Amino acid sequence: MARPKSPLVWILIVVGGASALCCSGTLGLMVLGLISAGSDSDGPGALSGFASPADRARAGKPGEPGGFAFDAPQGWKSLEDGRFILEWVDRGDTLSAEALRLPSVPGLDDGEGKLLRLWRERVGADWANVNNNPPAMRRFMTNGARAFFTAAEVRHKTHGRSFRVTLMLVEADNRFEPLVFIQGFSTPGGIGEAMSASFSWNTSHQKVEDALKGVRGSPVGLPLADDGELVGDFTYSSSSAAQWVNAYGGTTMTAVSYASQYILGADHTFQYKYSGASGQVGAMKFGSDNDRGTWSVKHDVLTLTGEQRTRRFLIVGAGRTPEGKRAIILMPEHPTWSLYPGALSQHAELYVATQ
């Protein structure tokens, strides 16, 4: 099946031949990105070999010229319009990943705001079924430079096929360098393509990660979130219910509901409270938990050392909700610390400040 031309190709006319380079669950998110497991000294979310002296010199420092580089992955095909694309067959289906670079965005202030504005202006204009207020998240590049990113499943305006689009702003000297990654899927005859495509994003996302290994920016060595963004009173809550009908027409309902609260003080102390209920409505069981201690951040991991136990979270985002409330997106400690779409939708938690 011939690969349809990306609706974002017109952007490359503005770039002028630049080299080119993503629901359900606790967050209701389907996003892309991966922070690989590193050594124990780097922290579980750190990229192995983070910010070596050679990387720092190559990436540049604040106030110095340059500060950005991209090495196209081996095997990706360079197209005349400036895109890079990779296509392969997986169990009879055709998967693809393509990358392109957009014009620089001046200034390193308000990364979340600039990310969302560019998302609305570019992705919102070219694709259908686009959420204008997606979560603004963060991650590190291979050399330790930060990037703001968001991603979602969208549809082609002409033929309605599903794609996964990721927009990423990489910090580089005194500006952001925007990169766009597009994941595609097609199946012979198109039968059940929309549903099958949603299951393919984890597979094709690995190719996006291969491409991200060639992205370097500056400045490096900065934390994913500073202390000021994490200090506050944050709450996460979740609930679900199911209704059952027996053979005689009788109904019963079961439910699960819980809330976690973290008060992170400016003096690096924390308080933790948990309350939950589960079971059949009318006969539910209740539970609670409390803890206190100290908190710290290293690279992209938040560690809370409590009197009862130690908790660790991968920091995925820190910013504001569409309503203007401060929020942090955290993933509880997990063997893979994966930001693959499926893993994040299952494990990430959105904590919103009470004020």
Side-chain angles (χ1 to χ4, degrees), residues 21 70-73 76 99 142 181 206-215:
L21 345 136
F70 174 74
D71 297 324
W76 287 52
T142 302
F181 295 92
Q206 181 58 58
K207 303 302 182 182
V208 175
E209 283 302 320
D210 291 342
L212 289 176
K213 293 176 183 177
V215 177

Side-chain angles (χ1 to χ4, degrees), residues 44-353:
L47 286 158
S48 180
F50 160 65
S52 69
D55 284 330
R56 291 174 185 268
R58 183 169 59 246
K61 298 179 180 179
E64 294 182 351
F68 180 82
F70 174 74
D71 297 324
Q74 185 176 6
W76 287 52
K77 181 181 179 181
S78 177
L79 303 182
E80 293 182 357
D81 56 21
R83 289 179 295 154
F84 283 84
I85 187 169
L86 180 69
E87 292 184 318
W88 68 100
V89 176
D90 181 62
R91 291 175 292 185
D93 302 318
T94 300
L95 279 65
S96 65
E98 59 182 280
L100 59 93
R101 182 177 170 186
L102 306 185
S104 301
V105 178
L108 292 177
D109 59 307
D110 190 23
E112 285 90 356
K114 289 177 178 177
L115 177 76
L116 296 181
R117 283 193 292 273
L118 191 59
W119 175 267
R120 295 168 190 145
E121 292 171 1
R122 300 303 199 198
V123 180
D126 289 335
W127 301 85
N129 197 35
V130 176
N131 177 9
N132 285 328
N133 289 295
M137 292 166 286
R138 303 177 186 183
R139 62 169 292 161
F140 284 114
M141 298 293 95
T142 302
N143 72 322
R146 299 183 301 186
F148 296 86
F149 77 97
T150 193
E153 182 175 297
V154 298
R155 293 187 180 276
H156 195 284
K157 283 189 173 181
T158 302
H159 50 64
R161 284 177 53 200
S162 297
F163 291 82
R164 169 68 51 177
V165 174
T166 302
L167 173 63
M168 184 170 293
L169 301 188
V170 182
E171 289 185 344
D173 190 22
N174 58 356
R175 66 194 185 279
F176 286 110
E177 291 290 345
L179 310 175
V180 175
F181 295 92
I182 304 170
Q183 296 167 251
F185 174 88
S186 64
T187 190
I191 300 175
E193 185 169 278
M195 179 177 294
S196 297
S198 66
F199 293 119
S200 75
W201 306 138
N202 277 355
T203 300
S204 56
H205 174 66
Q206 181 58 58
K207 303 302 182 182
V208 175
E209 283 302 320
D210 291 342
L212 289 176
K213 293 176 183 177
V215 177
R216 298 186 298 275
S218 67
V220 296
L222 298 177
L224 204 64
D226 60 38
D227 288 359
E229 293 175 298
L230 299 178
V231 171
D233 184 346
F234 297 93
T235 300
Y236 165 76
S237 61
S238 178
S239 63
S240 61
Q243 185 167 319
W244 309 87
V245 181
N246 62 33
Y248 301 99
T251 61
T252 59
M253 178 177 290
T254 58
V256 176
S257 180
Y258 63 92
S260 300
Q261 178 190 31
Y262 286 98
I263 301 175
L264 305 179
D267 59 352
H268 285 262
T269 62
F270 80 88
Q271 298 180 49
Y272 165 73
K273 294 181 179 180
Y274 167 89
S275 59
S278 64
Q280 185 174 329
V281 175
M284 301 185 74
K285 296 181 179 180
F286 297 85
S288 62
D289 190 18
N290 296 277
D291 202 358
R292 64 177 62 242
T294 59
W295 66 272
S296 62
V297 175
K298 183 178 180 181
H299 196 42
D300 49 7
V301 176
L302 169 65
T303 300
L304 299 106
T305 307
E307 297 174 353
Q308 305 297 326
R309 67 185 181 92
T310 297
R311 302 167 177 84
R312 296 196 299 175
F313 296 88
L314 185 64
I315 301 172
V316 183
R320 293 187 178 273
T321 67
E323 297 76 25
K325 292 186 177 182
R326 293 176 55 230
I328 51 177
I329 304 173
L330 303 175
M331 179 180 288
E333 186 169 13
H334 188 269
T336 64
W337 294 95
S338 174
L339 292 185
Y340 272 62
L344 186 60
S345 67
Q346 290 179 344
H347 303 299
E349 300 172 349
L350 175 64
Y351 286 83
V352 179

